[in-house]
């Protein structure tokens, strides 16, 4: 590998250019890594057609494996346990483990001989991102003498105190016994035999046993593709009213109700308007909340906006209000900052690591009432002196362009490959990253 592009077998079971969330992350990192390494992507067959549309050549650039025979029966079980779409993510993750074991078994049947023949310098499992999903491949790769790396992994953020009602409404039954995943087959084997464990957040890194910490490298989970988002600076309107946007699924932990309560007095005074972009189970409750407060003239519901159109929608705002209390990554925060919006987020989980003191506001965790008062205080400060918004937004955009692009992440992952291949010492990119 020395002096040349590493040959990488990249595992991204979730990898789709036309989807959002983790599948889009899988695709984005795969393409960014292809610019710095010789990558062969292994993914699930459901992604095949959309990947072919992007010009990749099957067998040469990627391989699609069909794990649906095991996956489909468990999906039906999940539908029953979760009750409705968009909730019960801990349950969904738990039920995905058995199909993923099967996916890796198919992968080893296809690539095991090539791994043993050292046709690849590194085997890298990127998705699933969850640290609760073990791998059967770590020990096999170690035996073959090929470094196996995982990540950036992210997840496992505990529910904060004071949000028991939201936890129940989210149907997060398994979150009460979440640590049981450490008893799963291959959990210890994965960590013992992996050459490197890339961690996407402070919370995830802190949950790893001390004996494995020396294998960890912090690399933020989320990033933006400047070709898709933030290629040019948004030109938000100047002056009052202060325009605040929220983007996300309308589920309890995302904090939309707290954002509305925080802004309510300023909305009534005509100093703030709020646009909620998204949809979900909480829509009816949120509309009722707005009606009770007499806020219809200052709080609007945009519904779902296509990802390709989101940039133009967000560009009409000054502030990104996102008081989600259990956010692992927070890609939408990075996207808003890339446009120059000033974020207001919770200092808990991924968003609190994306936002720095000079680029936005990371609110300390508290009870729902405390969060409402803290967010309102920030809005009042910005209404009183909106001149700080422009410079802070410029710094937010610069921070994303420096640290949170897929190209930047690919370069960091490349240094991890060099480390496990013996070409350099263990990298340390800082945690959290400096401005």
């Amino acid at each position: 590998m020395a002096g040349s592009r590493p040959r990488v077998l990249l595992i991204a079971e979730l990898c789709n250019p036309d989807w959002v969330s983790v599948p889009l992350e899988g695709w984005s990192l795969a393409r960014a890594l292809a610019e710095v390494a010789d990558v062969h992507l292994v993914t699930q067959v459901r992604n095949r057609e959309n990947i072919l549309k992007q010009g990749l050549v099957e067998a040469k650039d990627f391989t699609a494996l069909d794990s649906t025979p095991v996956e489909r029966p468990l999906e039906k079980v999940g539908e029953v346990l979760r009750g409705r779409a968009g909730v019960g993510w801990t349950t969904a993750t738990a039920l995905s483990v058995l199909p993923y074991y099967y996916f890796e078994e198919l992968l080893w049947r296809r690539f095991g001989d090539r791994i043993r023949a050292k046709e690849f310098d590194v085997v890298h499992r990127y998705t699933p991102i969850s640290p609760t999903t073990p791998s059967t491949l770590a020990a096999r790769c170690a035996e073959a003498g090929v470094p196996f790396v995982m990540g950036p992994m992210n997840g496992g953020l505990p529910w904060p105190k004071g949000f028991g009602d939201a936890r129940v409404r989210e149907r997060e039954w398994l979150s009460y016994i979440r640590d049981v995943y450490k008893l799963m087959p291959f959990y210890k084997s994965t960590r013992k035999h992996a050459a490197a464990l890339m961690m996407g957040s402070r919370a995830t890194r802190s949950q790893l046993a001390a004996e494995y910490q020396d294998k960890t490298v912090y690399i933020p989970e989320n990033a933006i593709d400047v070709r898709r988002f933030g290629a040019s600076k948004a030109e938000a309107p100047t002056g009052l009213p202060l325009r605040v946007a929220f983007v996300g699924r309308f589920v309890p932990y995302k904090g939309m109700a707290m954002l509305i309560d925080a802004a309510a007095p300023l909305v009534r005074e005509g100093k703030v308007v709020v646009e909620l972009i998204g949809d979900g189970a909480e829509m009816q409750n949120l509309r009722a909340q707005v009606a009770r407060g007499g806020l219809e003239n200052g709080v609007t519901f945009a519904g779902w906006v296509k990802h390709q159109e989101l940039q133009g929608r967000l560009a009409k705002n000054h502030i990104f209000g996102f008081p989600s209390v259990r956010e692992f990554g927070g890609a939408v925060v990075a996207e808003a900052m890339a446009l120059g919006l000033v974020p207001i987020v919770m200092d808990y989980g991924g968003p609190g690591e994306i936002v720095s003191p000079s680029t936005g506001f990371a609110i300390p965790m508290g009870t729902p009432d405390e969060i409402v008062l803290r967010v309102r205080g920030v809005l009042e400060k910005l209404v009183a002196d909106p001149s700080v918004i422009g410079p802070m937004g410029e710094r937010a955009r610069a921070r994303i362009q420096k640290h949170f692009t897929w190209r930047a992440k690919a370069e960091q992952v490349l240094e991890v490959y060099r480390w496990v291949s013996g070409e350099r010492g263990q990298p340390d990119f800082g945690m959290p990253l400096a401005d």
Side-chain angles (χ1 to χ4, degrees):
M1 175 177 163
S4 62
R5 290 162 59 95
R7 300 166 300 169
V8 181
L9 186 66
L10 180 67
I11 305 166
E13 190 262 356
L14 296 166
C15 180
N16 199 302
D18 293 343
W19 295 0
V20 295
S21 191
V22 175
L24 182 57
E25 288 184 37
W27 170 257
S28 298
L29 184 60
R31 299 321 300 148
L33 283 172
E35 296 180 8
V36 298
D38 294 333
V39 172
H40 187 89
L41 170 68
V42 184
T43 191
Q44 216 274 353
V45 72
R46 72 173 73 87
N47 307 308
R48 178 178 178 273
E49 291 303 321
N50 288 344
I51 289 175
L52 287 171
K53 291 176 185 178
Q54 296 295 319
L56 271 67
V57 178
E58 194 164 12
K60 174 180 176 291
D61 300 318
F62 79 101
T63 298
L65 303 176
D66 187 3
S67 56
T68 53
V70 176
E71 195 172 274
R72 285 173 179 161
L74 288 171
E75 284 180 349
K76 294 179 180 179
V77 173
E79 290 172 3
V80 174
L81 293 176
R82 296 171 72 188
R84 64 178 186 271
V87 297
W89 290 105
T90 305
T91 300
T93 300
L95 290 173
S96 71
V97 172
L98 285 178
Y100 184 71
Y101 284 159
Y102 180 61
F103 175 85
E104 285 199 345
E105 184 60 32
L106 294 177
L107 186 151
W108 187 255
R109 293 176 191 173
R110 183 74 64 89
F111 291 96
D113 288 343
R114 296 178 63 184
I115 292 171
R116 284 190 289 260
K118 294 185 171 54
E119 292 186 26
F120 302 100
D121 299 304
V122 177
V123 176
H124 175 188
R125 191 193 94 175
Y126 180 39
T127 72
I129 284 175
S130 172
T132 66
T133 305
S135 175
T136 64
L137 299 176
R140 286 167 159 172
C141 288
E143 184 178 358
V146 176
F148 177 83
V149 303
M150 288 177 62
M153 294 181 283
N154 203 5
L157 195 66
W159 276 88
K161 294 179 180 179
F163 289 88
D165 177 64
R167 191 176 190 175
V168 171
R169 287 156 63 199
E170 288 281 338
R171 296 176 179 263
E172 285 290 337
W173 321 124
L174 289 185
S175 66
Y176 292 97
I177 55 170
R178 187 179 183 282
D179 280 353
V180 169
Y181 77 87
K182 295 179 181 179
L183 302 176
M184 293 174 61
F186 303 104
Y187 172 82
K188 290 185 178 180
S189 171
T190 300
R191 284 143 183 81
K192 177 181 177 181
H193 294 289
L197 301 168
M198 293 178 279
M199 296 299 186
S201 71
R202 288 175 291 190
T204 303
R205 192 180 202 180
S206 69
Q207 293 162 17
L208 190 68
E211 61 190 297
Y212 306 122
Q213 287 288 337
D214 61 351
K215 296 184 176 186
T216 65
V217 176
Y218 171 70
I219 298 177
E221 175 194 340
N222 292 116
I224 65 161
D225 183 344
V226 295
R227 293 168 294 188
R228 285 175 173 256
F229 218 97
S232 60
K233 179 183 177 297
E235 294 297 334
T238 58
L240 297 179
L242 192 69
R243 304 187 67 87
V244 181
F246 166 93
V247 178
R249 292 181 298 118
F250 288 4
V251 291
Y253 77 83
K254 294 283 186 178
M256 302 83 56
M258 294 188 296
L259 178 62
I260 293 170
D261 279 346
L266 297 167
V267 170
R268 295 189 190 99
E269 295 171 8
K271 296 177 179 178
V272 168
V273 296
V274 178
E275 180 178 43
L276 301 172
I277 302 172
D279 203 344
E282 288 296 295
M283 174 66 87
Q284 185 175 349
N285 291 336
L286 295 173
R287 288 190 179 278
Q289 178 185 357
V290 169
R292 285 194 306 270
L295 305 172
E296 293 93 338
N297 291 333
V299 179
T300 59
F301 294 87
W304 284 119
V305 173
K306 292 181 180 179
H307 195 254
Q308 297 88 334
E309 300 170 5
L310 185 58
Q311 176 169 324
R313 195 81 185 216
L314 278 179
K316 299 175 182 178
N317 296 275
H318 307 99
I319 306 297
F320 187 65
F322 194 71
S324 176
V325 298
R326 194 170 179 261
E327 201 69 29
F328 304 135
V332 70
V333 178
E335 291 177 341
M337 291 172 67
L339 297 173
L341 274 70
V342 174
I344 302 175
V345 302
M346 301 310 301
D347 192 11
Y348 190 66
E353 297 175 32
I354 297 174
V355 177
S356 67
S358 68
T359 61
F361 300 89
I363 306 299
M365 184 56 71
T367 65
D369 288 344
E370 289 170 338
I371 292 171
V372 166
L373 291 176
R374 289 166 185 169
V375 173
R376 184 179 298 160
V378 173
L379 293 175
E380 290 173 342
K381 175 182 177 180
L382 295 173
V383 165
D385 183 13
S387 67
V388 304
I389 295 173
M392 186 171 279
E394 288 284 358
R395 292 192 295 270
R397 186 167 186 270
R399 176 170 169 79
I400 297 302
Q401 294 286 347
K402 181 178 180 181
H403 296 299
F404 293 90
T405 65
W406 288 109
R407 176 68 188 206
K409 184 185 288 191
E411 294 285 357
Q412 292 170 334
V413 172
L414 180 61
E415 293 306 307
V416 174
Y417 294 163
R418 289 173 174 159
W419 168 42
V420 299
S421 298
E423 295 182 15
R424 58 153 295 166
Q426 184 173 0
D428 182 0
F429 304 114
M431 184 176 182
L433 297 166
D435 288 348

